[in-house]
Amino acid sequence: MAEEGQQNIQNLALQHRELQKRAQTIQQQINMLQMSVDDCGKAITTLEDLQSFSKNPDTLVSIGAGSFVNANIANDNKVVVDVGAGISVEKNFDGAKTTLNKRKEDLQNVLEQMNQNLEQINQRIQSIESIAKQQQQQPQQ
């Protein structure tokens, strides 16, 4: 009987480790998705800023890490946007913003699903911990 309890605790420990690995993988995916959502937001903001400055073709353009470069925007009404599968399409500002907003919305939906999955895994981990704790205390009683 004691062997059966020990085996059950070992099985719970194995499940616990596997769930922790899955949770870690999902958390990494969530972090990458959040970076993509943030990237879309920055692109949308940049497009809006460029659109408001279109009367003055000389502007500062962010190159990242708090750095900017002076730029002359020769064609201020066209944007090249990645539409997936390595394909980029030239669009006007409004079309580009629409594409980026849709991508951001899709990413946010996936992010929400991933967060729900992570929450379910964390609940299962807590359940396993509770069961294991109860089983460890049973022989002592």
Side-chain angles (χ1 to χ4, degrees):
M1 188 91 168
E3 285 182 29
E4 184 178 312
Q6 185 65 26
Q7 182 66 33
N8 195 18
I9 290 174
Q10 289 175 349
N11 287 339
L12 288 173
L14 180 63
Q15 288 177 27
H16 189 270
R17 278 193 300 273
E18 290 300 317
L19 287 170
Q20 283 182 318
K21 287 179 188 177
R22 282 180 46 198
Q24 185 178 17
T25 299
I26 290 173
Q27 186 61 57
Q28 290 171 347
Q29 292 171 341
I30 286 171
N31 293 342
M32 291 188 327
L33 280 169
Q34 187 61 55
M35 287 177 14
S36 294
V37 168
D38 293 345
D39 195 38
C40 283
K42 288 176 187 174
I44 292 165
T45 300
T46 301
L47 281 176
E48 290 168 349
D49 289 346
L50 287 174
Q51 203 168 17
S52 68
F53 294 129
S54 65
K55 293 173 179 52
N56 181 7
D58 292 323
T59 189
L60 288 175
V61 177
S62 173
I63 57 172
S67 302
F68 299 84
V69 65
N70 283 315
N72 184 322
I73 301 171
N75 188 351
D76 64 354
N77 62 351
K78 296 292 178 189
V79 179
V80 178
V81 181
D82 178 17
V83 292
I87 299 172
S88 297
V89 177
E90 189 175 89
K91 295 186 175 214
N92 64 22
F93 274 92
D94 291 334
K97 284 193 320 189
T98 300
T99 299
L100 289 168
N101 278 316
K102 173 71 171 120
R103 180 179 307 148
K104 183 178 176 183
E105 182 182 319
D106 291 346
L107 288 168
Q108 287 172 323
N109 289 336
V110 172
L111 188 59
E112 185 177 316
Q113 291 173 344
M114 297 293 283
N115 278 317
Q116 289 173 358
N117 290 344
L118 182 60
E119 180 61 30
Q120 290 172 351
I121 289 172
N122 285 331
Q123 288 174 356
R124 180 67 181 135
I125 287 172
Q126 290 174 350
S127 173
I128 288 172
E129 289 171 353
S130 176
I131 292 168
K133 187 176 180 179
Q134 288 173 357
Q135 288 186 0
Q136 287 176 337
Q137 290 175 351
Q138 282 179 352
Q140 295 172 357
Q141 294 175 353

